[in-house]
Amino acid sequence: MDAFPYLQTKVEALPLRERPAYRVASNAENCNLAELLAVLIGGREQIEITETLIARFGSLGGLANAHPDQIAEVRGIGRDKAMRIKAALGLARKLLEPQEQAPGI
């Protein structure tokens, strides 16, 4: 629980149409890394946690190469969210792999 529940987080301070979840739902392809990660992380402090992740790992590649335990060390992440992040990055890699064609009849 937050020590100061009356303080507004960054996501709460944003107008609805500028919040990461709204932007991803509207057009995920036009979202930046921070917005996509914030939605994946979720919660009241999603933007603050995302900023910490990007600062710590430097880039999407740095995050992709990090061990889940390293990601889990970031305040607000934990093991479950670290595994969700790694799974999402794994899915993204799968999209880049050549797809096998279904056999024709």
Side-chain angles (χ1 to χ4, degrees):
M1 192 142 140
D2 293 335
F4 303 101
Y6 56 90
L7 294 178
Q8 196 173 44
T9 64
K10 289 184 178 184
V11 74
E12 293 166 337
L14 290 172
L16 176 63
R17 291 176 189 256
E18 292 180 27
R19 292 182 183 188
Y22 184 93
R23 291 188 38 77
V24 168
S26 297
N27 191 347
E29 291 78 24
N30 285 339
C31 291
N32 62 36
L33 171 62
E35 290 168 326
L36 295 168
L37 272 175
V39 172
L40 191 58
I41 291 164
R44 289 186 69 228
E45 296 184 352
Q46 60 187 261
I47 294 174
E48 292 85 348
I49 295 167
T50 297
E51 290 170 345
T52 302
L53 278 174
I54 293 170
R56 178 162 180 186
F57 297 103
S59 66
L60 185 58
L63 185 59
N65 291 326
H67 190 276
D69 291 340
Q70 293 174 299
I71 299 169
E73 290 172 0
V74 172
R75 186 191 70 76
I77 294 291
R79 184 85 175 142
D80 289 342
K81 285 183 185 174
M83 294 308 294
R84 271 188 248 144
I85 291 167
K86 292 300 285 189
L89 293 167
L91 285 170
R93 280 192 197 106
K94 295 282 185 193
L95 279 172
L96 299 175
E97 292 177 359
Q99 301 295 312
E100 291 184 26
Q101 294 290 330
I105 297 179

